[in-house]
Amino acid sequence: MLASIESCALNGIDGCRVAVEVNISPGIPAFDVVGLPDAAVRESRERVRAALRNSGYGFPDDRLTVNLAPADMKKEGPAFDLPIAVGIIAAEGRLPLNNLQGAAMLGELSLDGSVRRVRGVLPMAIALRALGTKRLLLPRENEAEVACVDGIELLPVTHLRQAVEYLTGAQPIEAVVPVSYQKLLGERKPAVDFSYVKGQKAAKRALEIAAGGGHNLLMIGEPGSGKTLMARCLPTILPDMTFEEALEVTRIHSAAGLPVGEGLLIERPFRAPHHTASTVALTGGGTNAMPGEISRAHEGVLFLDELPEFRRDVLEALRQPMEDGFVTVTRVGAQATYPSRFMLVCSMNPCPCGHFGSRTHVCRCTPMQIQRYLARVSGPLLDRIDLHIEVESIPPEKLSGMSDEEPSAAIRARVEAARALQRERYRSCGLSCNARLDARTLQAFCPMEKGAQSLMKQAGEQMGLSNRAYTRVIKVARTIADLAGEEVIKTEHVAEAVQYRALDHKYWG
């Protein structure tokens, strides 16, 4: 007898419908799985066999063939365990085939029949909903991950027996109640806040500008000056993600097997890979073309601490995704394209010992050592970083006397106002912030008064700015004007934007 169960597979961060066809026929006992299964899918034979017997359903002594269609798409992971087991029960005639109409299943089986969580449930649930599936049986451990999805009945199960009893009509399952995005936003509790950062007014101003326009940022300063803390505080002043952005970010994390908390990821991602990370770890890869750190930082912050300590090839691999907003990962067994629109925030010491230019410590490095250290960061990468700031260390005796600092909420309000102006301005272009302006839109949306134009031209000539650096200064000036509520870029806006490129000559000139 033949039974067909609907399921789903992952292709990048997108779900693809898979039909799990189970056929039982007379012949020598065998259990074959076909349809380009990987090792994890082939091993499902033993998991399913043990789960059926330990759940009291037994296992047929006939020839058993499982086909995962379409047969030309590679299937991977243990998510097909549950539909295969239910398909065997249905093929034996112990489950009405009509009850399977409009239902899909996902889940890994333990040997005792328990249903375990699988990765990528969110993108698969969204894909099945779009394809018209009415019901989805999924592991209870994945329940919170899909709490944001409506339009499809989501039925969490803990055991194979529970799924079968539901499909026979013996025992109902309480469906997941969708949670609104606004409710999730109201429940967030950031772990850090800019009120914890004492002093550093200039650095905070630069971070506010970076957040206001989605610009990349480089911080240079002594060890212990607060660079890492300020970088970790940056997501607290970024504007809220839209529901569509949050859904896309959560899909990436779900496909990567990362925890997504309660429903959607409502906080913008903050990823801080160690400086020993490889190119594959950053851009993505592995046997199954998994998303890397730059994709996991999509719509959030990618923080590279100790920038010169990263391998040169790793840093250079960032250049193309920073420009294009996506990365294509190609491997022998798979190819996937992942979005990678992120803010790059970097920090570094001015020299190997960290005290070059310090007022309180003596630098122990030779000029050659400093030059070699700084040369680890290439000019093309620096060109793609909009703001370069110097973070000075504050003596302990001054820290104790400082008053309360401005909280993230106050800074965030100004950032939100600037981003609102940008969303309205670029509504017809599909852009979301100033950092994503291109040559065509830059000319249309960055009007400058004559004094600003003259200063910009003078700065470009005296500082030897490349074309890319020149346009990025204009983008920063556009953001400064937005924070001030000005439609036209004025001379003071350009003057401040130019200052954020002055460190190029101090350290790399």
Side-chain angles (χ1 to χ4, degrees):
M1 187 174 178
L2 174 67
S4 181
I5 308 290
E6 187 177 354
S7 188
C8 200
L10 271 182
N11 181 19
I13 61 170
D14 298 317
C16 302
R17 177 185 279 166
V18 173
V20 180
E21 301 172 338
V22 181
N23 184 67
I24 299 177
S25 58
I28 299 174
F31 188 178
D32 296 320
V33 180
V34 297
L36 282 183
D38 71 348
V41 179
R42 289 193 296 270
E43 289 173 355
S44 67
R45 294 175 297 183
E46 299 307 318
R47 292 193 297 271
V48 169
R49 192 194 311 269
L52 284 169
R53 286 174 173 165
N54 291 328
S55 300
Y57 295 108
F59 193 80
D61 293 329
D62 299 309
R63 184 171 185 82
L64 179 61
T65 303
V66 176
N67 178 43
L68 305 177
D72 60 348
M73 180 179 70
K74 187 172 182 179
K75 322 301 187 307
E76 54 192 40
F80 303 108
D81 289 5
L82 181 60
I84 290 174
V86 172
I88 292 173
I89 295 172
E92 288 184 304
R94 292 186 283 177
L95 184 61
L97 296 180
N98 290 337
N99 293 5
L100 302 176
Q101 297 297 320
M105 301 174 204
L106 300 166
E108 176 186 348
L109 290 178
S110 298
L111 299 185
D112 64 353
S114 299
V115 181
R116 291 176 171 171
R117 70 175 293 122
V118 294
R119 71 177 181 89
V121 166
L122 178 62
M124 289 191 282
I126 294 172
L128 289 170
R129 179 188 62 180
L131 292 169
T133 302
K134 304 299 182 183
R135 298 170 291 163
L136 173 62
L137 279 72
L138 70 158
R140 184 167 292 277
E141 294 177 4
N142 290 108
E143 177 180 358
E145 183 177 334
V146 295
C148 60
V149 181
D150 56 6
I152 181 173
E153 191 176 13
L154 302 167
L155 306 166
V157 296
T158 57
H159 199 276
L160 171 61
R161 192 180 302 109
Q162 183 185 11
V164 174
E165 289 176 352
Y166 166 76
L167 292 168
T168 57
Q171 181 68 40
I173 298 176
E174 186 176 350
V176 176
V177 178
V179 180
S180 71
Y181 183 51
Q182 293 304 318
K183 181 181 178 182
L184 292 173
L185 285 176
E187 294 174 350
R188 63 183 173 188
K189 296 179 180 178
V192 292
D193 194 277
F194 264 105
S195 60
Y196 304 158
V197 182
K198 301 296 183 182
Q200 305 294 2
K201 289 186 178 180
K204 288 180 182 178
R205 169 63 176 171
L207 286 162
E208 181 180 338
I209 294 170
H215 303 289
N216 302 322
L217 175 75
L218 171 64
M219 294 182 284
I220 306 175
E222 293 184 73
S225 56
K227 302 186 296 295
T228 301
L229 175 58
M230 287 189 287
R232 292 190 178 277
C233 290
L234 182 57
T236 66
I237 64 172
L238 290 173
D240 293 333
M241 289 189 288
T242 64
F243 177 73
E244 290 74 20
E245 289 174 339
L247 201 60
E248 189 172 40
V249 169
T250 309
R251 286 169 61 200
I252 295 171
H253 283 242
S254 177
L258 300 175
V260 296
E262 297 297 322
L264 288 176
L265 286 173
I266 54 176
E267 293 287 351
R268 291 187 180 269
F270 181 88
R271 304 296 299 182
H274 193 259
H275 62 259
T276 56
S278 65
T279 303
V280 170
L282 224 63
T283 60
T287 306
N288 300 324
M290 296 284 284
E293 290 294 337
I294 61 173
S295 297
R296 297 174 186 185
H298 178 61
E299 299 295 352
V301 176
L302 178 66
F303 177 51
L304 303 185
D305 198 7
E306 305 296 342
L307 182 65
E309 301 298 336
F310 283 82
R311 293 205 325 252
R312 184 68 172 260
D313 62 303
V314 173
L315 295 179
E316 296 308 300
L318 291 172
R319 289 159 53 180
Q320 180 263 333
M322 288 171 66
E323 294 290 335
D324 297 341
F326 64 88
V327 59
T328 300
V329 182
T330 303
R331 292 295 179 267
V332 174
Q335 176 176 316
T337 297
Y338 297 109
S340 57
R341 295 188 300 272
F342 57 88
M343 285 179 59
L344 178 64
V345 178
C346 310
S347 71
M348 60 179 287
N349 297 327
C351 66
C353 78
H355 300 303
F356 175 62
S358 173
R359 300 175 183 176
T360 56
H361 297 82
V362 177
C363 178
R364 302 187 303 270
C365 306
T366 65
M368 183 60 69
Q369 288 175 324
I370 296 173
Q371 184 179 359
R372 287 177 178 173
Y373 181 77
L374 297 174
R376 295 178 186 175
V377 184
S378 71
L381 180 62
L382 284 172
D383 248 7
R384 288 170 167 82
I385 301 178
D386 306 350
L387 295 96
H388 305 165
I389 61 171
E390 198 164 21
V391 181
E392 295 186 357
S393 182
I394 300 176
E397 59 271 15
K398 290 187 177 181
L399 285 174
S400 58
M402 288 185 174
S403 59
D404 293 338
E405 298 291 335
E406 189 176 30
S408 292
I411 304 174
R412 185 182 193 140
R414 297 194 294 269
V415 170
E416 287 275 14
R419 286 291 188 104
L421 291 174
Q422 294 166 41
R423 285 192 296 268
E424 182 62 30
R425 182 187 303 131
Y426 308 134
R427 186 180 299 277
S428 60
C429 303
L431 302 175
S432 59
C433 61
N434 292 329
R436 295 172 189 169
L437 288 168
D438 55 24
R440 177 180 58 84
T441 52
L442 190 76
Q443 185 175 4
F445 296 115
C446 295
M448 304 171 68
E449 63 179 21
K450 290 186 177 180
Q453 292 177 355
S454 176
L455 179 59
M456 192 69 239
K457 182 180 179 181
Q458 183 181 357
E461 294 173 350
Q462 293 184 358
M463 300 174 69
L465 298 176
S466 67
N467 290 339
R468 181 185 291 112
Y470 187 89
T471 57
R472 287 181 179 269
V473 171
I474 296 176
K475 294 177 188 179
V476 172
R478 173 72 274 173
T479 299
I480 296 172
D482 288 340
L483 287 168
E486 301 284 353
E487 184 59 35
V488 177
I489 300 174
K490 297 184 177 180
T491 305
E492 58 266 27
H493 304 148
V494 172
E496 184 176 2
V498 168
Q499 291 178 5
Y500 295 119
R501 304 294 303 201
L503 293 185
D504 289 19
H505 290 274
K506 179 175 180 180
Y507 291 103
W508 287 279

